[in-house]
Amino acid sequence: MTRLEASGASTSMDTGSWNYESVPPPRVRGIQCCSCRPKPEIRKATSGAPIWDTADLTWWDLQRRRWSTLWLMKSIYYRTKQVDADTAGKETGDPDYDGPWNDIHDRNAREMREHAEQVKGLFIKAGQVMSSMIGILPDQYTQEFLLLTDHLPVSTINEVFRTIRQDLKRPPRDLFSSFDPEPIASASIAQVHRARLRSTGEVVAVKVQHEGVDRVFLDDVATLSVVASQLAFWAPDLDFTKFVEEWDESLPRELDFHEERRALERAGAVLRKAGNRTIVPRVFQGLVGQHVLVMEFIKADPIMCLQDSGYCAQHGVDKHIVLETLLDAFGIMAFKDGMFHCDPHAGNVRLIIDKNCPGGAAPVLFDWGLFREITDDERICMAKVFHSLANFDVSGFFDILQVLGFHIRPELMSDEFRRELLDRARGVMKDTVNRETTRANVKFEMAEYRERLRRAELEGSNLKGSYSPLFFLEEFPSCIIFFMRMLNILRGLCGAVNAEGMPILQIFSRHAKEALLEGSQKQALASSVRLFAGREPQRSSRRIEEEDLLTDQGNVRQASLEVRIGQMAKSFIAAQRAVGVQVVVIQGGQMICDINAGTLSTTDARPVQTSTHFPLMGATAGLAALATLRALHRLADAQKLALSTEEVLRMPIVQLWPDFSGGSSTLTVADILSHQAGMQSAFPRRFTPKQLDDVASMVQHFEQVSLPCAQETRYNYLLQAFIMSKLGDCITGNDNLLHWLDAELGALGLDIAAPAGRGEEASVCRDVPNLSRISMTEVAEGRVRRKTSAIFGVDCRDHSESNTQTLLESIAKDPLVFDPLQANSTSGALFRGGLSLGASAKGLATLLSSEGLQQNLTAMGALEAADMDPTAVGWMLTGGACLWTRGGLQLLELQGSGRRALIASRQGGYGIVCGFGPCVVHFPSIAAGGVTVAVMVNDVLRGREVVRDLITEVLAGYGYVPAWTAMPMRVLVDAGRLTRSKELEPLLDSVGGLRNIIGGLSMEGGTENAPYTGKRGQARRGSQSGCMAYIGRCCMSLCCCAKYAGKRSMKVPATEHLAR
């Protein structure tokens, strides 16, 4: 349906010339030859508009409509193909190129519009959709098709009265005291008249369906099916048969006004409840039939008025705010309710000036005949799709596509293809741009597509159509068809009024996130929706209240500690510094603190429990080191190694793994565990996300790479898990890292598990708001990347003689491999370089506090200091704990606070600390029996700060503060160098920028808690200034303290010196 009434239109209600009782001639039905009755002359309404003459179409009329459509399609196809051949080799801007194309577009657009007006039916609706494709279709088409949103044929007043009488079972004169004979709007299915109710005197809008339109529409679907089949034959990339099938399924609902009434009432209630000011017409109960619908009359201006700056200035309208209200409405309907308007073209969206509304006006949504309802399963999954796109979550995006029902051709599922598909999906959701930019972007896309086809034909590639979703998708859910239709029409509407910079993805993803949170809290959804499948419902979260804690004299310390930590955890969550938190403290073998707070993720509001598993991220390698030490200690005790327990760590690695580094390496077990093997510079030249699950290929790589001897300590991020997995296989014969860790450490309390289906998994969170703002710059960068990718047909093989690269080089080539969100993947082998394996804080604390484990570590000399990683990357990835022991653990220094600070009391401990959050540490001497602290968080943006502050609070009760969180000068200088590193920038962006890591630090240990809000390019510049300012403060402090430090004669242990 088009509009109701434009401002200033005639509102005459003269009833003198109306004849309610006149009976028109009987309708002629059935199959007839055209000679059975003469064709009536072309009639026109009093307004001059042509009459809608589909009521009495014969079989021959329908066939003539169909064949005329097919003939026009064939003519346009061959005509366009001829111009394409004539202009081959010429470029845009050349008169010999632009002239023929402008002429053919003018002719095609005019003939298509005239054909739609002549045959009417579904072709008018198709033209209305194309009228909103500003910048995508040539201007000639959008301008011609825009006429189909206003100037359309109408039904006669006699046909209107007849339909009302038949449908409502009452004569029109009994219902209306006045009825305007001229329709104020007409569209492909119905027209709208202004009338006044006899019962109440209210002015209403009466929507009446054209007679015979149902037969016409059903016949048009059959015609479009033939067109789609022929088009698929000519161009297999353009197989639209499924789209036609979906339209065929929706037509019966659109032709039944009872369905439209239901949609109007439902949408109005949902938007009012959400506080959105978008207006949906009110329906009058009792005045609804299958072909008649009576609604409130709304006088509104065309939405296209927003492109007129004079109109906006005159009425004080901000078009961006008004359109944001409209986009919000669609986000609410789609993700909160599961029903949305599918046809929001310019004829169906209007504007009411209202100073009390945001932006000075309220959008109005008319014609709810074409709407779509999706199931809760589809709604939640679509919400997850948008949330993944907004957070650049590759793994989450493809995982949810599979759950939603997308099946991509297996031969195409390479890492390059996944990246390119994500690029394109984000490009579709980019912020709106003006017509010229849209047009230029479409031209680039078409040029890229043609170049791809040319390369594929030359090389005989079977991937020539893989840029078309209709080629690479074996199956896709039908709900996506009308969802994308709605989204594209909205985008075109924003472009048509020149509203640049509308953040469609940001708006939609906000509502998607809220829908996911709400869905996770509903028991019915959590147990039935596929997105939450395998996750068993959990008990209510433990409330952290003082009265719930033990308060007898023997447990005063425990109660005090739990209250402090609980209050701190809740404050972090309230301040959005944390999402989910677990804190466990064990002293002398007794658990004295067990705190669980927050939720499983930013999109899953189910509470964190004691048994919740958090992704271990980089901590997996540390646990594997403990398992290795336990296994080697057992073998040494059993005298199966011909070595004493103290000599095990000095054993050459090739004695366990004969093929390591070609069998010629002199590296020892200690070198491997303490990160002195040079692995950080031994990444494969082609390290892709697929290899995160491919343990076999990585093992083969390590057997071929040259690692002859020990080198400087450099934290071996990601690769260490592959090495440890193979060592476990060599030592015990267990080639599955998860099973090996469970076998070795499960008896000591570790509750390690793989993701998905365990019922209590937390997810890694990284919500950076500006990732949901997609600019044309990002689209252009994706286009450049595709031109140099393997899937585009370019030879992108690395011709370097070396078969390895450094960590920074690997990040620069494919930053998505190092995205922390890889830990959330629920498909593939679920190894993910060890990132995705999970455990609870209780399991980690119980493990590290085990007396048996501590005895093993001491006996093997595994706690002796090795060396420190002085790089900023190592400091960042280890949470500042970059001093390693020979057994692969991290040494942690404490310094006294309060009274202990006056006597310069120092203590140390060891543990496993990951820069993305997970942390478990043991301090053997700060209290009787030792103290073990485990903290698990799932927000990689602020996890480091939260872990540091929570551990600081725990240690404060013992009179100590952590010293390892302070950045040493050597690391600080290296950090200053990295602020200019293009290679590291993608990894820093994934955790909020370098400023998020070190920019807020101060000499006193304070931190800035402001959320990361800058754009990615701005974040890097801000990081430089923050880092340089910190370096300046450090240097000034060192200069001031130099004289005093020179006079002090204080013995410092070697380990403390290294830590400093």
Side-chain angles (χ1 to χ4, degrees):
M1 178 60 56
T2 63
R3 57 189 171 82
L4 286 191
E5 183 185 19
S7 293
S10 172
T11 59
S12 173
M13 300 283 289
D14 182 14
T15 64
S17 61
W18 302 346
N19 183 3
Y20 283 117
E21 302 301 330
S22 63
V23 180
R27 297 173 59 181
V28 180
R29 294 184 178 274
I31 300 178
Q32 300 180 4
C33 175
C34 63
S35 60
C36 290
R37 64 180 175 87
K39 277 289 179 186
E41 296 181 1
I42 298 178
R43 299 172 294 163
K44 290 184 178 290
T46 56
S47 62
I51 297 296
W52 191 285
D53 54 358
T54 59
D56 301 315
L57 291 179
T58 65
W59 175 86
W60 175 254
D61 294 330
L62 294 177
Q63 294 303 309
R64 185 170 57 182
R65 292 175 74 257
R66 175 176 296 185
W67 285 108
S68 65
T69 301
L70 297 177
W71 180 260
L72 177 63
M73 178 201 70
K74 181 180 178 180
S75 301
I76 290 176
Y77 174 77
Y78 284 110
R79 194 186 301 157
T80 305
K81 190 174 181 180
Q82 182 62 48
V83 173
D84 188 39
D86 293 343
T87 58
K90 300 175 183 177
E91 297 181 357
T92 303
D94 186 343
D96 293 335
Y97 179 90
D98 292 340
W101 277 113
N102 287 334
D103 292 342
I104 199 65
H105 288 326
D106 283 333
R107 181 179 177 183
N108 289 346
R110 183 181 65 257
E111 291 184 2
M112 291 172 68
R113 191 259 305 165
E114 291 173 349
H115 178 75
E117 289 180 338
Q118 179 183 0
V119 303
K120 309 176 183 67
L122 197 56
F123 300 99
I124 287 181
K125 187 168 287 294
Q128 290 174 341
V129 173
M130 289 187 285
S131 70
S132 65
M133 301 175 71
I134 306 293
I136 299 176
L137 291 177
D139 288 345
Q140 294 92 331
Y141 295 91
T142 56
Q143 291 169 1
E144 284 285 344
F145 294 150
L146 197 60
L147 298 176
L148 298 179
T149 65
D150 244 341
H151 308 292
L152 294 175
V154 299
S155 296
T156 65
I157 188 64
N158 286 333
E159 291 173 339
V160 169
F161 287 163
R162 179 168 56 200
T163 301
I164 294 175
R165 184 181 299 108
Q166 291 175 349
D167 224 39
L168 300 183
K169 309 302 181 185
R170 297 172 64 185
R173 67 182 305 165
D174 291 350
L175 300 172
F176 309 106
S177 60
S178 61
F179 196 103
D180 194 336
E182 289 298 324
I184 55 178
S186 180
S188 56
I189 290 181
Q191 64 190 43
V192 175
H193 290 262
R194 190 170 185 256
R196 188 181 299 276
L197 290 178
R198 185 176 295 278
S199 59
T200 64
E202 291 181 81
V203 177
V204 296
V206 184
K207 181 177 180 180
V208 184
Q209 194 172 116
H210 301 301
E211 284 190 321
V213 76
D214 48 356
R215 298 171 60 226
V216 172
F217 264 64
L218 295 175
D219 185 75
D220 287 346
V221 170
T223 302
L224 286 179
S225 179
V226 175
V227 171
S229 300
Q230 185 62 49
L231 187 61
F233 175 76
W234 284 334
D237 289 356
L238 303 177
D239 183 0
F240 292 102
T241 53
K242 187 157 185 174
F243 293 80
V244 177
E245 293 172 1
E246 180 67 10
W247 214 332
D248 186 26
E249 190 273 334
S250 69
L251 267 180
R253 291 197 306 271
E254 189 172 6
L255 296 169
D256 186 353
F257 286 175
H258 288 293
E259 291 293 311
E260 182 170 353
R261 173 194 62 79
R262 184 170 63 86
L264 282 164
E265 293 175 345
R266 179 172 168 180
V270 168
L271 294 178
R272 286 191 297 272
K273 181 179 178 181
N276 186 275
R277 299 302 295 270
T278 300
I279 298 173
V280 176
R282 176 172 53 89
V283 178
F284 286 83
Q285 299 296 331
L287 296 178
V288 180
Q290 186 173 355
H291 306 105
V292 178
L293 180 65
V294 179
M295 304 167 286
E296 66 172 321
F297 183 85
I298 299 177
K299 185 177 180 180
D301 296 336
I303 193 69
M304 295 302 293
C305 290
L306 292 179
Q307 68 179 329
D308 183 357
S309 58
Y311 173 90
C312 293
Q314 177 184 352
H315 295 91
V317 173
D318 187 325
K319 63 182 175 184
H320 289 87
I321 296 179
V322 173
L323 289 174
E324 184 175 348
T325 301
L326 180 65
L327 293 174
D328 264 325
F330 277 87
I332 292 167
M333 290 186 289
F335 299 119
K336 303 288 187 60
D337 183 55
M339 188 205 73
F340 52 89
H341 195 301
C342 294
D343 205 19
H345 59 73
N348 289 343
V349 184
R350 297 185 67 79
L351 200 65
I352 291 181
I353 302 299
D354 186 347
K355 300 301 182 183
N356 296 321
C357 291
V364 186
L365 279 176
F366 293 133
D367 190 3
W368 283 77
L370 187 57
F371 66 94
R372 187 67 161 85
E373 290 180 282
I374 56 179
T375 66
D376 282 334
D377 205 336
E378 293 170 332
R379 176 173 64 86
I380 295 298
C381 288
M382 287 298 299
K384 180 62 177 176
V385 168
F386 275 77
H387 186 264
S388 298
L389 283 175
N391 285 277
F392 218 108
D393 182 2
V394 181
S395 298
F397 178 67
F398 281 92
D399 286 347
I400 198 59
L401 287 187
Q402 186 176 2
V403 173
L404 191 56
F406 285 87
H407 297 289
I408 301 175
R409 295 175 183 266
E411 65 270 20
L412 298 177
M413 283 299 289
S414 63
D415 288 320
E416 293 88 352
F417 179 82
R418 290 161 64 94
R419 174 59 188 266
E420 291 177 20
L421 186 58
L422 183 69
D423 273 346
R424 288 187 170 277
R426 283 177 60 83
V428 170
M429 307 296 176
K430 65 180 177 294
D431 294 356
T432 58
V433 294
N434 57 34
R435 300 184 185 188
E436 290 71 22
T437 305
T438 302
R439 188 177 299 109
N441 187 51
V442 171
K443 288 181 179 179
F444 274 119
E445 296 287 343
M446 287 303 299
E448 183 182 59
Y449 180 70
R450 289 172 179 169
E451 176 65 14
R452 177 171 180 75
L453 292 179
R454 186 186 67 81
R455 288 181 179 275
E457 290 174 358
L458 293 176
E459 300 172 5
S461 172
N462 67 335
L463 303 181
K464 65 178 183 178
S466 63
Y467 276 178
S468 169
L470 304 174
F471 175 83
F472 62 71
L473 288 175
E474 292 182 334
E475 188 64 37
F476 58 93
S478 59
C479 67
I480 198 68
I481 295 175
F482 280 107
F483 198 102
M484 294 307 299
R485 168 193 166 100
M486 172 265 290
L487 193 63
N488 287 330
I489 294 177
L490 286 175
R491 175 177 292 280
L493 187 64
C494 294
V497 299
N498 287 320
E500 297 185 59
M502 294 303 302
I504 293 180
L505 179 58
Q506 187 178 67
I507 293 172
F508 273 40
S509 64
R510 181 175 67 248
H511 295 294
K513 179 179 177 180
E514 293 172 0
L516 289 168
L517 285 171
E518 181 182 355
S520 67
Q521 297 178 80
K522 292 183 178 180
Q523 181 62 47
L525 289 180
S527 59
S528 64
V529 173
R530 285 177 292 172
L531 180 63
F532 303 115
R535 295 177 181 243
E536 300 174 359
Q538 300 177 0
R539 301 178 302 276
S540 300
S541 179
R542 177 184 179 187
R543 297 184 61 191
I544 306 167
E545 304 290 349
E546 291 192 37
E547 57 268 24
D548 294 334
L549 303 171
L550 298 175
T551 55
D552 58 272
Q553 293 299 317
N555 292 287
V556 172
R557 182 173 204 150
Q558 174 183 349
S560 174
L561 179 62
E562 283 204 324
V563 169
R564 296 200 323 270
I565 299 300
Q567 291 175 345
M568 177 174 281
K570 289 195 295 185
S571 69
F572 287 158
I573 292 167
Q576 297 184 348
R577 291 184 60 196
V579 178
V581 176
Q582 286 180 333
V583 183
V584 171
V585 182
I586 296 178
Q587 178 181 333
Q590 298 295 320
M591 185 182 300
I592 63 172
C593 178
D594 181 12
I595 295 298
N596 310 290
T599 60
L600 297 182
S601 75
T602 54
T603 59
D604 191 337
R606 288 176 292 178
V608 172
Q609 303 291 328
T610 299
S611 56
T612 299
H613 293 97
F614 282 71
L616 288 166
M617 308 298 288
T620 302
L623 293 177
L626 292 177
T628 300
L629 294 171
R630 285 269 295 175
L632 292 176
H633 184 276
R634 186 174 60 254
L635 292 179
D637 279 351
Q639 299 182 352
K640 295 183 178 180
L641 295 177
L643 292 171
S644 65
T645 303
E646 296 80 4
E647 298 174 327
V648 169
L649 291 180
R650 295 194 293 271
M651 177 175 51
I653 193 68
V654 293
Q655 189 171 334
L656 297 172
W657 182 357
D659 294 329
F660 178 78
S661 190
S664 59
S665 176
T666 61
L667 291 172
T668 65
V669 173
D671 294 334
I672 296 291
L673 296 181
S674 60
H675 301 268
Q676 293 181 315
M679 292 288 184
Q680 196 193 47
S681 299
F683 280 82
R685 295 300 301 181
R686 186 166 176 75
F687 190 59
T688 64
K690 184 178 180 180
Q691 288 177 284
L692 290 176
D693 286 330
D694 195 348
V695 180
S697 70
M698 294 303 297
V699 168
Q700 184 179 8
H701 167 73
F702 291 125
E703 292 177 346
Q704 296 173 350
V705 72
S706 176
L707 296 167
C709 58
Q711 302 179 30
E712 290 184 336
T713 300
R714 295 291 185 272
Y715 175 52
N716 182 20
Y717 181 61
L718 279 186
L719 299 187
Q720 189 78 351
F722 293 99
I723 294 289
M724 304 312 296
S725 179
K726 179 59 178 177
L727 280 180
D729 184 18
C730 293
I731 297 171
T732 66
N734 194 333
D735 61 354
N736 185 292
L737 179 62
L738 172 64
H739 296 164
W740 175 49
L741 293 179
D742 187 45
E744 290 290 344
L745 306 178
L748 301 180
L750 180 65
D751 54 350
I752 195 164
R758 295 282 176 166
E760 297 177 339
E761 309 97 349
S763 300
V764 174
C765 305
R766 185 210 56 209
D767 287 0
V768 180
N770 286 293
L771 285 178
S772 61
R773 298 298 302 273
I774 305 170
S775 65
M776 282 302 301
T777 301
E778 178 179 327
V779 175
E781 289 173 353
R783 187 179 298 122
V784 172
R785 183 167 50 252
R786 286 194 293 274
K787 286 185 178 181
T788 58
S789 69
I791 197 170
F792 193 76
V794 178
D795 182 10
C796 61
R797 291 173 295 179
D798 197 326
H799 298 285
S800 172
E801 294 182 0
S802 173
N803 62 345
T804 61
Q805 61 183 346
T806 66
L807 171 63
L808 294 185
E809 290 172 338
S810 299
I811 294 173
K813 284 188 177 180
D814 196 345
L816 292 180
V817 186
F818 301 88
D819 189 342
L821 297 188
Q822 292 284 357
N824 291 338
S825 177
T826 58
S827 61
L830 301 180
F831 185 76
R832 299 281 91 185
L835 298 176
S836 61
L837 300 185
S840 68
K842 180 180 178 181
L844 292 174
T846 304
L847 167 68
L848 203 58
S849 64
S850 167
E851 292 185 8
L853 178 63
Q854 295 168 20
Q855 292 171 2
N856 294 160
L857 297 177
T858 303
M860 299 179 70
L863 300 180
E864 296 179 11
D867 204 348
M868 184 184 76
D869 182 350
T871 65
V873 174
W875 188 91
M876 179 188 77
L877 295 174
T878 60
C882 48
L883 175 61
W884 296 92
T885 72
R886 296 177 65 239
L889 299 176
Q890 291 149 279
L891 284 176
L892 309 164
E893 184 186 14
L894 302 179
Q895 61 185 24
S897 64
R899 182 180 61 83
R900 294 184 184 275
L902 298 177
I903 60 175
S905 174
R906 290 179 178 270
Q907 292 288 345
Y910 56 87
I912 302 170
V913 184
C914 173
F916 294 122
C919 174
V920 55
V921 293
H922 178 72
F923 303 101
S925 304
I926 65 174
V931 175
T932 304
V933 184
V935 181
M936 298 296 280
V937 295
N938 55 348
D939 188 339
V940 298
L941 293 183
R942 292 162 288 271
R944 176 196 312 272
E945 296 177 6
V946 170
V947 170
R948 179 199 62 202
D949 292 349
L950 287 170
I951 290 182
T952 299
E953 184 65 25
V954 172
L955 293 174
Y958 298 94
Y960 292 94
V961 294
W964 72 87
T965 56
M967 183 179 284
M969 180 55 64
R970 291 170 61 190
V971 176
L972 203 55
V973 172
D974 190 52
R977 176 183 63 84
L978 289 181
T979 59
R980 298 180 294 275
S981 170
K982 289 291 185 181
E983 293 85 357
L984 190 61
E985 185 176 349
L987 180 61
L988 296 177
D989 284 346
S990 71
V991 293
L994 189 60
R995 181 177 181 81
N996 188 59
I997 300 169
I998 64 173
L1001 295 177
S1002 67
M1003 291 300 294
E1004 292 76 22
T1007 180
E1008 293 181 3
N1009 296 329
Y1012 171 75
T1013 57
K1015 293 184 178 179
R1016 283 181 282 173
Q1018 296 172 343
R1020 195 171 68 86
R1021 292 191 294 272
S1023 301
Q1024 288 187 32
S1025 60
C1027 183
M1028 290 299 105
Y1030 180 34
I1031 291 176
R1033 293 198 302 270
C1034 289
C1035 291
M1036 290 178 63
S1037 299
L1038 286 176
C1039 291
C1040 294
C1041 298
K1043 184 179 295 186
Y1044 174 72
K1047 292 180 179 180
R1048 292 189 64 183
S1049 58
M1050 182 176 177
K1051 295 184 179 179
V1052 181
T1055 55
E1056 296 183 8
H1057 177 72
L1058 288 173
R1060 285 169 156 178

